[in-house]
Each structure stands twice: as structure tokens, then as C-alpha cells.
């Protein structure tokens, strides 16, 4: 574990002693009691989005006309997640701000922000200072801004919409002015080191975090293996991770070891209630509208390929995991693929 980075992350606990206590309890339950403790829930609140990102995978999960989770359903889901140890929720999509702002605020209030870290990912286009003020008042802690390059031509091309870089920088200024934690979010793929270096230098200068997500051949990048990182890219990725202001989903776990938390400490819940390990591995282990989250989490933790330790993201760097688990889900028309129907998942209860 990068302890310098860990100390820098204490900013997230600012004025939140109950969250700090919940985190300490999570470490104790995981390391000392050897329990399976949930830490983070990525929660999709919509799949509506007006961007055309060249690597998008979320669009595969969208079902036209199907109702998304209601405010009350999300409240009940979080009550279950909290019992399992969750102390961080990340609102995602789609673009969360395409959902009614008052609904978003109520969703955040229902997380009990005094004892929960609440973050939200946005593409920035719909961000206004007034909306951020409402969200912060409701309890939002951190704003994650999706950006792939400081070069507007490159970033706008990847996002598929002109002018998005300017909007992202505007949202960045608003968030900092309001005292929100800010985290830039980028995809690390083959041969984009120059862009990541620029973002890293900018993040360090502005005293914010840079979150690196690893590329996978899913969604619009399905079959494009040239986008995935090779061994040299992975080495450069790990060099980035040594910087205290750079983080990834593998950075910190209750287990005390850096590594893939998917299905163990971190889960993703789709806008329709399916529980998957992460948005890039579209295999569902159950739906929270049909059975308790505790039962689904227990099921996930009984899977050998989920329990197996992996220092880096499995969907990106473990070729056997990708071929055996991820690929079958990419070959069906309407993911996520139920684990009960998965050709390579056996003995599932």
C-alpha cells in the first residue's frame, strides 16, 4: 500500500468522523475477523447520456422504456449495503445529471452523508454552479470529472462532442470554488501515456486526484484488442500509481492489499437493480429487486474466480478471466448475462 497516498486520501474524511470509524471497522472485520466486507457501491441512476464516447460500455445495459430504480428502491438498497459494511457510494450512469436534480438530492440525503462518502461521476455538460450547490448541500463529497486529455481536440474527439473540454474545466472551477473534493477520471489504454502525464501534472498542480481506469475490450471497444494495455503499458501504469495524487479502483482495500476489489469489496448495481462486479464485466449475480443484497454478495464471494487475488484489474490483465468470464457476456444481445446462464460458471446457488 502507498502510505503517502493513503495519508493524502484522509481529505475524504474531513469533517466526517463517523465515516472514519466505519472505515476502521471495515479494516478490522476484513483483516482480523477475515470477513467479506463490502466497501463501495457504484450505483447507476440512469443510462441516459448525450455523449458519444468512443469506448462506452454503459450503453449496452440500457433498456428503452424500462423503469430505472426509484428513489425509495435506492434507499432500501443502501440500507442493505450499509449492513454489509459499505461506507462509500458512487453515483454513475449514463450521465447522472440527466436525472431530475431534486431526485438526485433526495437520493444523496437517503445515504445518510454524515456516515457515508458520496461521490458522483459526470461528463460535465449539464453541470451548473447552482446544481453543484444543491448537491453539496444534500451531502455530495466528491465530483469525478471524466476527461481524457487536456488537449481539447483530442478530448472532444474521444467524447464525440465538441466543446466538452471547456465545460469540464468550467465544472472543475465550480467544484473547487464550492469546496468539493475533485477527482479527474481518465481511461488508461495502450499508448496514451502522454495524455495521462499531462493530466497527472495538472492534477498535482491543482491539488486534486487523478483516477485511472484501465481499458478493456468491451462495448464500443469490443474486439479492439489494440486499445488494451500491454506489459510495458502496465509498467508505466504502476509508475503513475506511485504518485500520491493518482489512484485507481485497485488502490485501497479493507484487506490491506492493493488489488482488484470487484465482487468482494466493490460492486456495481445497474439502473435496473442487477448486481455485477464492475461495469466492464457485465455478468449479473442477482437482482436487488428480487432478492436481498446480502444473498447476492455472498454468492459473488463464493465464486473462485472472484475470490482469486489479482494485483491489477482482471478484465484488463487476466486473459483467462477475460476469455472465460467476460467474453461470453459480450457475445449476447442484451447484457448483463445472468451467472446462472453463464456457460463457464458452475455450482452457483
Amino acid at each position: 500500500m502507498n502510505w503517502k497516498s493513503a495519508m493524502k486520501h484522509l481529505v475524504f474524511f474531513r469533517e466526517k468522523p463517523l465515516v472514519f470509524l466505519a472505515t476502521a471497522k471495515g479494516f478490522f472485520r476484513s483483516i482480523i475477523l477475515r470477513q467479506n466486507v463490502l466497501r463501495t457501491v457504484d450505483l447507476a441512476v440512469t443510462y441516459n447520456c448525450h455523449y458519444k464516447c468512443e469506448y462506452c460500455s454503459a450503453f449496452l445495459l440500457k433498456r428503452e422504456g424500462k423503469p430505472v430504480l426509484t428513489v425509495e428502491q435506492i434507499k432500501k438498497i443502501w440500507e442493505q449495503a450499509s449492513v454489509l459494511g459499505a461506507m462509500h457510494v458512487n453515483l454513475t450512469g449514463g450521465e447522472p445529471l440527466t436525472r431530475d436534480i431534486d431526485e438526485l438530492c433526495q437520493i444523496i440525503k437517503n445515504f445518510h452523508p454524515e456516515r457515508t462518502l458520496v461521490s458522483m461521476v459526470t461528463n460535465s455538460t449539464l453541470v451548473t454552479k447552482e446544481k453543484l450547490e444543491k448537491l453539496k448541500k444534500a451531502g455530495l463529497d466528491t465530483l469525478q470529472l471524466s476527461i481524457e486529455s487536456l488537449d481539447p481536440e483530442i478530448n472532444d474527439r474521444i467524447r464525440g462532442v465538441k466543446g466538452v473540454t471547456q465545460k469540464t474545466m468550467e465544472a472543475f472551477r465550480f467544484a473547487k470554488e464550492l469546496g468539493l473534493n475533485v477527482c479527474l477520471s481518465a481511461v488508461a489504454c495502450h499508448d496514451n501515456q502522454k495524455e495521462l502525464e499531462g493530466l497527472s501534472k495538472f492534477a498535482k498542480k491543482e491539488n486534486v486526484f487523478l483516477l485511472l481506469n484501465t481499458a478493456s475490450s468491451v462495448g464500443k471497444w469490443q474486439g479492439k484488442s489494440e486499445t488494451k494495455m500491454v506489459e510495458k503499458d502496465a509498467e508505466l501504469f504502476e509508475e503513475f500509481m506511485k504518485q500520491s495524487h493518482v489512484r485507481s479502483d485497485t488502490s485501497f482495500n479493507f484487506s490491506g492489499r492493493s488489488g482488484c476489489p470487484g465482487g468482494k469489496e466493490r460492486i456495481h448495481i445497474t439502473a435496473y437493480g442487477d448486481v455485477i462486479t464492475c461495469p466492464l464485466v457485465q455478468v449479473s449475480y442477482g437482482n436487488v429487486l428480487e432478492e436481498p443484497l446480502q444473498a447476492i454478495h455472498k454468492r459473488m464471494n463464493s465464486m473462485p474466480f472472484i475470490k482469486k487475488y489479482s494485483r491489477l484489474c482482471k478484465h484488463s490483465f487476466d486473459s483467462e478471466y477475460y476469455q472465460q468470464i467476460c467474453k461470453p457476456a459480450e457475445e449476447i444481445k442484451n447484457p448483463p448475462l445472468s451467472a446462472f446462464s453463464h456457460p463457464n460458471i458452475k455450482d452457483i446457488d
Side-chain angles (χ1 to χ4, degrees), residues 12-28:
F12 292 118
F13 301 105
R14 182 176 53 201
E15 300 177 3
K16 288 205 169 186
L18 293 180
V19 177
F20 184 83
L21 289 175
T23 303
K25 183 178 180 180
F27 277 108
F28 177 80

Side-chain angles (χ1 to χ4, degrees), residues 119-235:
S119 59
M120 185 181 76
V121 184
T122 179
N123 62 32
S124 302
T125 302
L126 299 178
V127 171
T128 65
K129 193 169 184 178
E130 291 71 26
K131 287 180 180 179
L132 290 187
E133 286 175 335
K134 285 186 175 183
L135 291 168
K136 184 184 179 185
K137 185 177 180 180
L140 182 69
D141 297 295
T142 301
L143 194 68
Q144 291 187 19
L145 301 173
S146 300
I147 186 170
E148 304 305 328
S149 173
L150 293 177
D151 185 329
E153 183 177 344
I154 295 175
N155 189 57
D156 290 3
R157 173 181 55 79
I158 294 173
R159 293 292 171 187
V161 179
K162 290 185 178 181
V164 298
T165 308
Q166 180 180 345
K167 286 293 297 182
T168 301
M169 290 298 105
E170 185 179 84
F172 178 84
R173 291 194 300 272
F174 290 157
K176 291 204 75 176
E177 287 172 12
L178 292 171
L180 287 165
N181 294 316
V182 179
C183 186
L184 303 179
S185 180
V187 176
C189 57
H190 177 56
D191 206 26
N192 73 333
Q193 182 188 3
K194 180 180 177 182
E195 309 312 321
L196 297 183
E197 285 178 344
L199 290 170
S200 177
K201 290 178 181 178
F202 177 79
K204 184 176 182 180
K205 177 184 175 183
E206 295 289 340
N207 194 30
V208 300
F209 287 97
L210 172 63
L211 173 67
L212 296 183
N213 307 284
T214 54
S216 185
S217 301
V218 64
K220 292 182 181 179
W221 272 358
Q222 184 172 342
K224 296 183 179 181
S225 57
E226 68 274 12
T227 63
K228 296 181 70 172
M229 290 189 285
V230 297
E231 185 175 345
K232 183 179 179 181
D233 298 315
E235 293 172 359

Side-chain angles (χ1 to χ4, degrees), residues 294-310:
Q294 182 179 15
I296 300 172
H297 188 239
K298 182 178 179 181
R299 180 179 300 134
M300 298 173 93
N301 279 274
S302 71
M303 299 290 101
F305 52 87
I306 289 179
K307 291 192 292 184
K308 179 184 176 183
Y309 174 74
S310 177

Side-chain angles (χ1 to χ4, degrees), residues 276-309:
I276 59 183
T277 57
C278 89
L280 296 177
V281 184
Q282 297 177 349
V283 177
S284 172
Y285 294 85
N287 190 293
V288 288
L289 300 181
E290 300 171 359
E291 61 180 322
L293 181 58
Q294 182 179 15
I296 300 172
H297 188 239
K298 182 178 179 181
R299 180 179 300 134
M300 298 173 93
N301 279 274
S302 71
M303 299 290 101
F305 52 87
I306 289 179
K307 291 192 292 184
K308 179 184 176 183
Y309 174 74

